[in-house]
Amino acid sequence: MNQTIKEKQSRSDDVYHYLKKRILFKEIAPGSQLVENNIGQELDVSRTPIRNAIKKLETEGLVKVYSNRGAFVVQPTIEEIQQAFDMRRHLEKMTLWRVYNQMTEQDLAQLEEWLEREKRSYAKKDILEYLDVNKSFHMTLALKTDNPFLIDFTERILNQMNVYLMLYDVFLDENLDEDKRIKEHELIINALRKKDINQLLSLMNQHMEGSLESLCLNESDRKTKHIPIKKSL
């Protein structure tokens, strides 16, 4: 009995990782439908692991399930993405106000470690690791607030933003020396060391604006960067 449960879980995990990888690397484009029959035939699995995988992808913000329509890879509007960035901007500024004069050398050393790992992941073109480390950088600041609501909201918005960055970001086409976000993290650490709140708020504005500008949000940009057209699976 236990072995059967483990086997079912393993099949669900396999389908989940397969679909997630294809979505994140744009082999399945935003807005595409995930058709259970097609996935089942391609992977030779029943509907149960497919539905379990889709449910997990939905909780991560990668898939939306509509009654009587099915499951679709998320395709947020430009307005929705802009609203998410605006919300994150407010959360990040609230965080900075609470921690700018409380950061210890140990805290700053942790940020510098995340920065070095960020550079290494960028140099390797490992986007999944890059986004994970980038999230850790910002969550280090949020955790310093000791505010459970601010921490929870920040983590949720960062998770959703990572979905948008994976689906639309084109930073891997840039050169490392030209990556403004890494340089901005360096400047943020320097401003934290100086306890300069005005500079920090200004830098955070630049950081959010730069991240938003890096997204490939219009159709002409998607064609230029070879993002695949919408298709079903």
Side-chain angles (χ1 to χ4, degrees):
M1 178 67 73
N2 290 336
Q3 185 62 33
T4 301
I5 294 174
K6 289 181 180 179
E7 289 175 355
K8 289 181 178 179
Q9 183 61 51
S10 177
R11 285 196 292 271
S12 296
D13 289 342
D14 289 343
V15 176
Y16 160 76
H17 289 297
Y18 170 80
L19 292 175
K20 182 173 183 177
K21 182 178 180 180
R22 292 198 63 188
I23 292 169
L24 292 181
F25 286 93
K26 306 182 185 72
E27 294 173 11
I28 307 174
S32 300
Q33 184 174 10
L34 302 178
V35 182
E36 292 182 8
N37 287 339
N38 294 350
I39 298 171
Q41 292 176 8
E42 186 168 345
L43 300 180
D44 191 25
V45 295
S46 66
R47 290 193 172 190
T48 298
I50 296 171
R51 290 174 178 174
N52 290 339
I54 288 175
K55 184 176 181 180
K56 188 172 182 180
L57 292 169
E58 184 181 22
T59 63
E60 294 181 354
L62 280 166
V63 169
K64 284 189 177 181
V65 179
Y66 301 93
S67 299
N68 303 320
R69 289 183 56 201
F72 295 79
V73 178
V74 292
Q75 189 175 30
T77 65
I78 293 177
E79 182 180 10
E80 287 172 340
I81 294 175
Q82 290 172 335
Q83 289 172 348
F85 270 90
D86 190 48
M87 177 59 69
R88 181 181 166 190
R89 187 198 309 268
H90 288 298
L91 291 171
E92 297 276 14
K93 285 185 173 183
M94 288 174 63
T95 294
L96 290 174
W97 270 112
R98 283 164 170 76
V99 306
Y100 81 94
N101 61 353
Q102 300 177 16
M103 300 293 288
T104 66
E105 279 302 318
Q106 184 177 359
D107 296 327
L108 295 171
Q110 177 63 77
L111 291 177
E112 288 170 340
E113 174 60 25
W114 291 129
L115 179 63
E116 290 305 311
R117 290 180 60 181
E118 191 175 29
K119 291 178 181 178
R120 292 196 295 269
S121 63
Y122 192 102
K124 293 186 299 183
K125 304 301 183 186
D126 188 335
I127 187 171
L128 293 177
E129 182 181 345
Y130 177 93
L131 292 177
D132 184 56
V133 174
N134 178 70
K135 175 185 172 182
S136 296
F137 181 96
H138 289 275
M139 283 305 300
T140 296
L141 295 172
L143 289 166
K144 184 69 177 179
T145 68
D146 288 325
N147 184 320
F149 297 102
L150 185 53
I151 292 168
D152 180 54
F153 294 152
T154 298
E155 184 167 23
R156 280 197 273 172
I157 198 70
L158 286 172
N159 287 339
Q160 191 61 55
M161 300 288 283
N162 278 352
V163 171
Y164 298 157
L165 289 170
M166 280 298 305
L167 294 178
Y168 295 104
D169 197 4
V170 295
F171 77 89
L172 290 179
D173 293 331
E174 302 170 6
N175 295 320
L176 178 61
D177 291 341
E178 297 174 355
D179 181 38
K180 295 180 179 179
R181 280 170 289 183
I182 289 179
K183 291 181 179 179
E184 285 164 357
H185 279 179
E186 291 178 341
L187 293 173
I188 287 171
I189 293 173
N190 291 336
L192 283 167
R193 184 166 273 116
K194 296 176 183 177
K195 304 185 187 302
D196 189 338
I197 186 58
N198 291 327
Q199 185 182 14
L200 283 167
L201 296 178
S202 177
L203 286 170
M204 190 55 68
N205 277 331
Q206 294 176 30
H207 195 47
M208 292 298 100
E209 290 168 5
S211 295
L212 183 58
E213 288 173 1
S214 74
L215 296 185
C216 190
L217 296 180
N218 60 62
E219 185 175 357
S220 61
D221 285 341
R222 288 198 295 273
K223 290 179 179 178
T224 301
K225 297 300 180 179
H226 308 295
I227 294 177
I229 60 174
K230 177 179 176 180
K231 61 182 179 180
S232 299
L233 177 65

